[in-house]
C-alpha cells in the first residue's frame, strides 16, 4: 500500500499455524499474526483483529480479494473528505474465479430493472470486504458473533447511532471482489469488464495472483453447478459461476429486460457458483423459491438429472 503508516493484523483459525508467518525467517514489525485454534465466526475474527490493532483506522483486507496499492490512501481520503466515521465502496469490480468473467457493479447508478430497485439500500450498506472506519467506534460498535450479515448489522447500528457513513464509487479499479463458491453471497454486475480493461487498471499488476487464490480456495471442493433441486423440481440456469453480468445477458435476449430478470432469478435459485455445503458452514437453513416460481420455471428433477454436481 502507498499509504506510509500501515499495520497488518492477521487472524488465523486454521488447525496449524501458518508456516510463512511462523517461520524464524519472517520478521516484520508491521505484521501482527494471531493464531487461535477453534471455530470463530467472521464477526468474532474481526473483533479480535480490531482489539489487536494499534492504529486509529481499521481497514478490512479480506484474504480472497485484491486491493490495489492506492486502495488504503483512496479510502482514507474519502473518509476525511466526507468528515465521516465509516466509509465503504458503493461501486466495485467483481471477478468470478470459476468462469473468468469480470464485471462492474455500481449501486449508485441504479438497478438495471425496476423490480430490483428495492435492493439498492442493501447493496449500499453491506459487503464488508470494503469497510474502513475509525477505531474509536469500538468496542461500542462491535461485530455480531455471526458469519452471515455481520457487515449489514454493524452498518445499521452505526448509522442508527448517528455516525456518518460515506460511500466511494470505485470506477478506476482499486479493489477486485472475487467469487469462488465459498462466499457468503454471489454477485451481479450491470456491465461486463474485459480482461484488457482490468489489466490497464491499478489492479493490473496484481492479476497474476488470481490463479493462486483460486487454487488456495479450491482445496478439493467442488463448486455446485446444478444444485437447484427443491423436492421434485429443479431450477436450472445457463449462467455458470457466481457472477451474473446483466448487460451481456440482456444482449443475448435482444434487449428483453423482463426476460433477463427471469434469467437472473433462475440463476439465483439454481445455486450455480455456490457451494452446497456453504449453508451448513454458516449454520443457515437453505431457502427455497416461492412455489409459484417453481411451478412456472422449475423442471422435473428426475428429468433434469437430479441435480448432478458440476466441477
Amino acid at each position: 500500500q502507498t499509504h506510509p503508516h500501515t499495520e497488518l493484523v492477521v487472524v488465523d483459525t486454521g488447525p496449524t499455524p501458518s508456516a510463512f508467518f511462523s517461520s524464524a525467517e519472517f520478521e516484520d514489525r508491521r505484521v501482527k499474526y494471531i493464531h487461535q485454534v477453534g471455530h470463530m465466526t467472521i464477526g468474532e475474527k474481526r473483533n479480535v483483529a480490531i482489539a489487536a490493532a494499534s492504529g486509529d483506522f481499521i481497514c478490512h483486507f479480506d484474504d480472497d480479494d485484491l486491493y490495489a496499492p492506492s486502495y488504503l490512501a483512496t479510502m482514507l481520503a474519502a473518509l476525511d473528505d466526507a468528515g465521516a466515521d465509516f466509509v465503504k465502496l458503493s461501486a466495485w469490480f467483481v471477478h468470478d474465479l470459476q468462469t473468468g468473467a469480470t464485471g462492474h457493479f455500481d449501486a449508485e447508478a441504479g438497478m438495471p430493472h425496476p423490480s430490483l430497485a428495492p435492493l439498492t439500500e442493501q447493496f449500499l450498506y453491506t459487503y464488508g470486504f470494503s469497510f474502513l472506519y475509525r477505531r474509536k467506534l469500538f468496542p461500542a460498535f462491535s461485530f455480531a458473533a455471526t458469519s452471515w450479515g455481520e457487515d449489514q448489522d454493524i452498518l445499521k447500528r452505526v448509522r442508527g447511532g448517528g455516525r456518518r457513513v460515506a460511500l466511494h464509487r470505485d470506477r478506476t479499479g482499486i479493489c477486485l471482489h472475487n467469487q469462488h463458491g465459498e462466499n457468503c453471497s454471489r454477485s451481479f454486475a450491470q456491465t461486463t469488464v474485459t480482461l484488457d480493461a482490468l489489466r490497464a487498471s491499478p489492479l493490473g499488476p496484481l492479476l497474476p495472483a488470481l490463479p493462486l487464490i483460486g487454487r488456495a480456495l479450491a482445496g478439493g471442493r467442488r463448486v455446485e453447478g446444478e444444485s437447484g433441486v427443491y423436492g421434485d423440481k429443479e431450477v436450472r440456469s445457463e449462467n455458470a459461476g457466481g457472477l451474473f453480468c446483466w448487460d451481456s445477458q440482456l444482449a443475448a435476449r435482444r434487449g428483453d429486460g423482463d426476460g433477463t430478470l427471469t434469467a437472473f432469478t433462475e440463476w439465483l435459485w439454481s445455486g450455480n457458483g455456490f457451494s452446497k455445503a456453504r449453508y451448513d458452514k454458516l449454520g443457515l437453513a437453505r431457502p427455497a423459491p416461492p412455489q409459484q416460481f417453481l411451478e412456472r420455471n422449475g423442471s422435473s428433477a428426475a428429468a433434469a438429472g437430479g441435480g448432478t454436481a458440476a466441477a
Side-chain angles (χ1 to χ4, degrees):
Q1 294 294 305
T2 58
H3 186 73
H5 307 295
T6 58
E7 172 187 70
L8 178 65
V9 180
V10 180
V11 179
D12 181 358
T13 57
T16 58
S18 162
F20 174 78
F21 286 112
S22 302
S23 67
E25 293 77 18
F26 180 83
E27 184 177 353
D28 192 328
R29 294 185 177 181
R30 299 171 302 171
V31 178
K32 291 183 179 178
Y33 174 70
I34 302 168
H35 178 254
Q36 294 187 5
V37 177
H39 174 73
M40 293 176 65
T41 64
I42 293 175
E44 289 171 322
K45 292 177 187 178
R46 298 209 189 279
N47 289 335
V48 168
I50 293 166
S54 59
D56 294 327
F57 303 92
I58 305 293
C59 185
H60 292 186
F61 282 82
D62 284 8
D63 58 7
D64 52 358
D65 296 325
L66 294 180
Y67 301 84
S70 58
Y71 178 79
L72 184 54
T74 300
M75 295 297 279
L76 281 169
L79 183 87
D80 187 60
D81 290 346
D85 296 300
F86 209 116
V87 65
K88 69 170 295 290
L89 295 179
S90 60
W92 57 85
F93 291 79
V94 57
H95 178 76
D96 184 70
L97 289 167
Q98 179 185 353
T99 64
T102 304
H104 184 253
F105 173 78
D106 189 345
E108 295 191 66
M111 296 297 105
H113 191 281
S115 296
L116 300 176
L119 299 176
T120 302
E121 183 84 356
Q122 177 180 328
F123 284 117
L124 284 173
Y125 296 106
T126 185
Y127 289 97
F129 70 86
S130 71
F131 283 9
L132 184 147
Y133 41 84
R134 299 183 188 275
R135 192 182 186 280
K136 67 181 183 181
L137 291 176
F138 295 84
F141 294 100
S142 295
F143 283 89
T146 180
S147 292
W148 180 268
E150 82 290 340
D151 46 5
Q152 190 171 19
D153 169 74
I154 197 168
L155 274 177
K156 182 179 180 180
R157 288 186 285 115
V158 167
R159 295 172 69 202
R163 305 289 184 155
R164 184 169 184 181
V165 176
L167 300 171
H168 178 73
R169 297 173 82 178
D170 177 20
R171 290 180 281 192
T172 60
I174 60 170
C175 178
L176 184 65
H177 179 54
N178 286 309
Q179 292 291 150
H180 47 75
E182 289 292 324
N183 307 82
C184 291
S185 62
R186 287 168 291 169
S187 296
F188 89 91
Q190 292 103 324
T191 56
T192 302
V193 175
T194 66
L195 184 57
D196 285 343
L198 203 58
R199 285 173 177 155
S201 77
L203 291 161
L206 306 179
L207 297 183
L210 288 176
L212 300 176
I213 295 173
R215 287 195 295 272
L217 290 168
R221 170 185 53 79
R222 293 168 66 86
V223 174
E224 306 301 336
E226 300 159 356
S227 59
V229 177
Y230 305 91
D232 62 348
K233 294 288 186 179
E234 181 177 15
V235 180
R236 299 171 69 90
S237 170
E238 63 184 30
N239 189 82
L243 172 63
F244 188 97
C245 290
W246 191 276
D247 60 346
S248 60
Q249 293 289 334
L250 182 66
R253 289 163 180 79
R254 299 183 179 182
D256 181 1
D258 290 339
T260 304
L261 179 66
T262 297
F264 174 69
T265 309
E266 289 174 343
W267 168 72
L268 286 176
W269 291 115
S270 74
N272 287 6
F274 207 54
S275 169
K276 278 183 177 178
R278 192 61 183 143
Y279 289 107
D280 291 337
K281 292 179 181 178
L282 292 171
L284 299 171
R286 183 176 177 231
Q291 189 61 35
Q292 184 179 7
F293 176 85
L294 279 177
E295 294 299 330
R296 185 174 65 250
N297 301 86
S299 56
S300 168
T308 303

